Amino acid sequence: MHDRFSTNPASYPRWVFDGYDFGKDADVLEVGCGEGVIWRKNVDRIPDGWRLTLTDFSDGMVQAARSALGDRARYAVADVQTLPFEDEAFDAVIANHMLFHVEDRPRAFSEVRRVLRPEGLFVATAIGRDHLRELWELEPPRDGIWSKTRERFTIELARGELAPFFAAIELERYPDSLEVTDAEALVDVFRSRGDVAEERLAAIREHVAEAIDRDGSFHVTKDSARVRCRKP
Ligand SMILES: C[S@@+](CC[C@H](N)C(=O)[O-])C[C@H]1O[C@@H](n2cnc3c(N)ncnc32)[C@H](O)[C@@H]1O
């Protein structure tokens, strides 16, 4: 969906990486690295002097990241709420689209601050409260992780949550939206959730097709941002 229908032609992972001004020589930790997408998409411009440590609390994700980056990084299974690293071991910490999963974020932020050197940078990505709003309005998420994430660490809440731990907080939004011109593609998204009945899928198909006929596309709000701050 994002590849086919996003209105911003720039690559989102390349834009996120543009915010990583850590200098030529830096110890960089990523928490919640997932499959290492940010590194896969920017492999041509990772400075030789960056010593990367990729972590996630899922062993499977760490293995996937290792298969992408191999010896270019070191790896650890680690929960951001209890990082297995010495104090002041890193110049920068990255957390992309993962803080909304974390139960005790004050604890996580205090861990990130502990492992950063003085003046070290913490760079995260977050989504806004209205991210993909039109999709949730069509079919609200069931109770569970995806509904919870919309109440946690949104762009709107980020500054207030980070302020007790970090200084020089900056937020930069990525301008984008989806303009969907294929109703079936959107129906497939809902079908992949596994909890939407066929008759509801048919109603969604009709609603989206009508909007496409009328307006040329079905509009979906996207709201993502890069959040940067510094250890005081
Ligand atoms: C939505 S994925 C994002 C992955 C990657 N950062 C990206 O942008 O593609 C969220 C990741 O955070 C990890 N995660 C969730 N809670 C975590 C925690 N408390 N500590 C470390 N990793 C966590 C998950 O296992 C998952 O890989």
Side-chain angles (χ1 to χ4, degrees):
M1 285 290 288
H2 291 291
D3 283 349
R4 278 184 74 189
F5 302 118
S6 291
T7 53
N8 189 331
S11 151
Y12 177 71
R14 303 284 286 191
W15 176 83
V16 171
F17 196 92
D18 289 344
Y20 296 169
D21 53 345
F22 308 148
K24 287 194 180 129
D25 186 76
D27 289 300
V28 179
L29 169 68
E30 184 176 15
V31 294
C33 67
E35 297 175 348
V37 170
I38 194 69
W39 307 106
R40 289 171 197 246
K41 300 279 185 184
N42 289 283
V43 76
D44 56 314
R45 58 180 184 150
I46 307 171
D48 291 342
W50 287 10
R51 293 165 295 282
L52 305 178
T53 303
L54 272 49
T55 65
D56 197 290
F57 76 174
S58 150
D59 182 45
M61 289 296 180
V62 172
Q63 294 315 326
R66 189 194 297 273
S67 74
L69 264 99
D71 294 343
R72 183 59 190 82
R74 64 178 180 141
Y75 306 86
V77 175
D79 187 326
V80 64
Q81 297 160 115
T82 48
L83 290 172
F85 303 109
E86 310 244 304
D87 295 359
E88 303 190 357
F90 297 97
D91 301 294
V93 176
I94 292 165
N96 286 332
H97 291 300
M98 64 80 66
L99 289 166
F100 43 55
H101 289 305
V102 177
E103 290 285 342
D104 188 349
R105 279 187 307 287
R107 189 162 163 205
F109 295 145
S110 131
E111 277 294 87
V112 169
R113 186 176 59 179
R114 180 183 66 75
V115 302
L116 275 173
R117 300 192 174 116
E119 300 288 306
L121 279 169
F122 180 38
V123 188
T125 52
I127 53 175
R129 212 171 20 224
D130 286 340
H131 186 65
L132 306 183
R133 174 164 52 87
E134 292 78 1
L135 300 190
W136 306 126
E137 283 172 357
L138 271 180
E139 187 62 29
R142 303 274 177 268
D143 281 350
I145 192 76
W146 293 113
S147 55
K148 279 195 214 150
T149 57
R150 289 167 59 72
E151 292 149 28
R152 294 180 180 175
F153 199 74
T154 56
I155 295 171
E156 293 80 4
L157 299 176
R159 195 176 285 279
E161 290 206 12
L162 290 165
F165 303 92
F166 299 99
I169 301 164
E170 293 168 13
L171 280 162
E172 198 178 346
R173 277 189 153 92
Y174 181 74
D176 204 2
S177 67
L178 297 176
E179 296 300 336
V180 181
T181 50
D182 175 357
E184 206 51 45
L186 202 60
V187 168
D188 285 344
V189 170
F190 286 105
R191 185 177 283 117
S192 71
R193 264 175 47 173
D195 63 354
V196 185
E198 274 305 320
E199 62 213 44
R200 183 66 200 127
L201 291 175
I204 290 172
R205 182 182 297 108
E206 195 180 318
H207 176 82
V208 173
E210 266 173 32
I212 294 171
D213 280 349
R214 188 182 58 241
D215 307 327
S217 66
F218 178 77
H219 172 84
V220 181
T221 303
K222 282 174 78 170
D223 191 14
S224 306
R226 211 165 44 202
V227 186
R228 287 160 48 89
C229 49
R230 208 170 266 288
K231 175 168 173 171

